[in-house]
Amino acid sequence: MADVPENAPQSCPGTSSSEAGKSSLCQGCPNQSLCASGAAGGPDPAIQEVKDKMKMVKHKILVLSGKGGVGKSTFSSHLAHGLAEDETKQVALLDIDICGPSIPKMMGLEGEQVHQSGSGWSPVYVDDNLAVMSIGFLLNSPDDAVIWRGPKKNGMIKQFLRDVDWGELDYLIIDTPPGTSDEHLSIVQYLRAAQIDGAVIITTPQEVSLQDVRKEINFCHKVKLPIIGVIENMSGFICPKCKNESQIFPPTTGGAEKMCQDFNITLLGKVPLDPQIGKSCDRGKSFLSEVPDSLATTSYRKIIQRIREYCDMHLSQEGKDA
């Protein structure tokens, strides 16, 4: 049987196959260039380099969604803001949505640029303890289209993890594009040896969203990525005047709560619709500090606290296993 390199994708043809590095299954794999050259005696050396770099990062959290438009980047940005409210913690937000980077806009950093230093790329800072990196900082204009195939996306993710001068971090939050393709395989393969805490999965209540999220959950199981829990976004709308609640996206099949029961995973919480969330993101501000008394802010804070507790428990468990 052909040797399969460590961190290879599912259905890897093997290093001794004539299709090694050339098959469509190889697209986005960190080992692709090595296999194609016939010199695949081991994994991409960048995997070890990333592992060494990530030793300075205590917690690594992926934010996933099967479907676009469910509020994944919105949650990622507010998770970063919420964690960074503790000034003793160093937080970074990495945007690996290569084709649709929205984090610079949401974090109020549109138009900023990345600078090269002797220790690598310098991330852009929102506050002294909150750093951001995105391909959006490398584009000439926010309207520029990034038209790349998988291997080039993989190379950029490698650079973000290996060549950015993150320094010592308590939390690295990674905002991903929708789906289960190149970017997701690359980030999991590069970070697997560096111990990812887990993934937070975002959905909305309706079945068309849950259907895609089930695929995301199965992806996590296949690549052995722990799931911290699921968040149901846009979960009802409470009228600010009459205080009546309306279901804008009806949970026709039981919503995220029923899905989490079926998969035996944690429902971290539900965040109601609030028009002010979108306005805050458009202005590049933290909704948590702009509207502190909102029901959505209360939901966000409870969810962020549960994620914090999960990470503390994960770190404690790692210490016992060491």
Side-chain angles (χ1 to χ4, degrees), residues 230-233 235 256 266-271 299 302-303 306:
V230 172
I231 295 165
E232 185 176 88
N233 219 0
S235 182
T266 300
L267 177 65
L268 291 170
K270 300 180 181 182
V271 180
S299 297
K302 288 179 180 177
I303 291 167
R306 295 190 76 179

Side-chain angles (χ1 to χ4, degrees), residues 130-153:
L130 178 53
V132 179
M133 178 55 76
S134 169
I135 194 173
F137 300 139
L138 306 176
L139 303 178
N140 293 323
S141 161
D143 297 331
D144 283 355
V146 180
I147 308 170
W148 289 358
R149 293 188 184 273
K152 197 166 183 182
K153 292 180 182 179

Side-chain angles (χ1 to χ4, degrees), residues 31 35 49 58 67 121 138 143 158 160 162 190 198 202 204 225 235 243 250 256 279 281 300 308:
N31 306 301
C35 291
E49 293 166 3
K58 284 183 183 177
K67 185 174 178 60
W121 285 347
L138 306 176
D143 297 331
K158 181 196 302 186
F160 281 154
R162 184 189 62 187
Y190 281 123
I202 313 297
T204 49
L225 174 62
S235 182
K243 304 302 179 184
K279 292 178 182 178
C281 288
Y300 270 136
R308 207 183 271 121

Side-chain angles (χ1 to χ4, degrees), residues 114-116 119-123 133 138 156 159-160 163-165:
V114 172
H115 299 285
Q116 185 82 29
S119 52
W121 285 347
S122 297
M133 178 55 76
L138 306 176
M156 179 55 68
Q159 282 191 276
F160 281 154
D163 298 339
V164 173
D165 182 17

